Amino acid sequence: MSLPHAILTALLEKPSSGLELTRRFDRSIGYFWSATHQQIYRELGKLEAEGSIRALPAVQPARGQKKSYEVLPAGRAELARWTAAAQDPKPHRDALLLRLRAAAVVGTEGLEADLRRHLELHRRQLAEYEEIERRDFPPGKDSPEDRLRHLVLRAGIDLESFWTGWLTHALEEFAGLPDHG
């Protein structure tokens, strides 16, 4: 996924200013595609220059007023093209897994504590996703748009469930290692 496509998606959901987009990234899209305030503003400028979005006319001209943006037909067409295109999965890269592999040759000092820390972080993220699911996807909320958004959230829940299960297993394995303790 790319940042321009994330921004086009967010703007099609709701025309927004750069600041509003940044806040929305922090609350939703950022769970699976993060971007800094500067990256979002830089990308808004590029999308506007290429004719994918435009700044909405201000109701009252004022200096320093935040611009709100909307997607133009070219931006919608690009997002539709990108959505329909085939993409191969990206190989998973995780420093924790590499550190476990390295521990096999240099020792495990400090690693158990970090596994426990990771487990706690994943448990917290899982709890947050489950709360979002309870709040935003009650029974009966099943429009096509809601179902697709819920599917994205379910991916996050399932990934966090995987990590909490795997880390629990890893800590059990750790406890059975020779020279442990």
Side-chain angles (χ1 to χ4, degrees), residues 112 116 169-181:
E112 183 179 9
R116 290 187 189 288
H169 176 75
L171 285 163
E172 289 166 358
E173 287 290 322
F174 232 79
L177 293 175
D179 300 327
H180 183 288

Side-chain angles (χ1 to χ4, degrees), residues 14-35:
K14 180 182 176 201
S16 304
S17 68
L19 181 58
E20 290 165 338
L21 277 174
T22 300
R23 289 179 180 147
R24 288 174 59 207
F25 266 73
D26 289 345
R27 288 189 323 263
S28 62
I29 293 171
Y31 286 122
F32 56 91
W33 193 263
S34 61

Side-chain angles (χ1 to χ4, degrees), residues 14-83:
K14 180 182 176 201
S16 304
S17 68
L19 181 58
E20 290 165 338
L21 277 174
T22 300
R23 289 179 180 147
R24 288 174 59 207
F25 266 73
D26 289 345
R27 288 189 323 263
S28 62
I29 293 171
Y31 286 122
F32 56 91
W33 193 263
S34 61
T36 66
H37 187 82
Q38 292 84 5
Q39 289 171 316
I40 290 171
Y41 275 95
R42 187 170 44 246
E43 203 57 50
L44 284 170
K46 289 178 188 175
L47 288 167
E48 189 174 24
E50 69 189 28
S52 293
I53 65 171
R54 73 174 180 134
L56 292 169
V59 178
Q60 296 176 345
R63 188 180 163 132
Q65 182 177 2
K66 61 184 177 182
K67 288 188 208 176
S68 284
Y69 296 90
E70 70 176 353
V71 177
L72 295 171
R76 181 180 282 276
E78 167 52 24
L79 188 59
R81 181 211 59 78
W82 178 78
T83 301

Side-chain angles (χ1 to χ4, degrees), residues 105-178:
V105 292
V106 298
T108 61
E109 187 174 331
L111 201 48
E112 183 179 9
D114 204 39
L115 287 172
R116 290 187 189 288
R117 186 179 70 80
H118 276 250
L119 178 57
E120 180 55 32
L121 292 170
H122 284 287
R123 282 180 175 156
R124 277 192 249 153
Q125 190 64 64
L126 177 58
E128 186 174 341
Y129 286 163
E130 289 172 337
E131 176 55 33
I132 292 169
E133 183 178 43
R134 279 188 292 279
R135 181 191 70 219
D136 294 351
F137 298 99
K141 188 172 183 181
D142 61 353
S143 71
E145 296 84 0
D146 287 332
R147 291 174 70 183
L148 290 172
R149 289 181 185 116
H150 192 194
L151 193 58
V152 173
L153 178 61
R154 282 299 322 170
I157 289 170
D158 291 348
L159 284 169
E160 294 304 328
S161 295
F162 162 78
W163 280 112
T164 57
W166 182 85
L167 285 159
T168 299
H169 176 75
L171 285 163
E172 289 166 358
E173 287 290 322
F174 232 79
L177 293 175

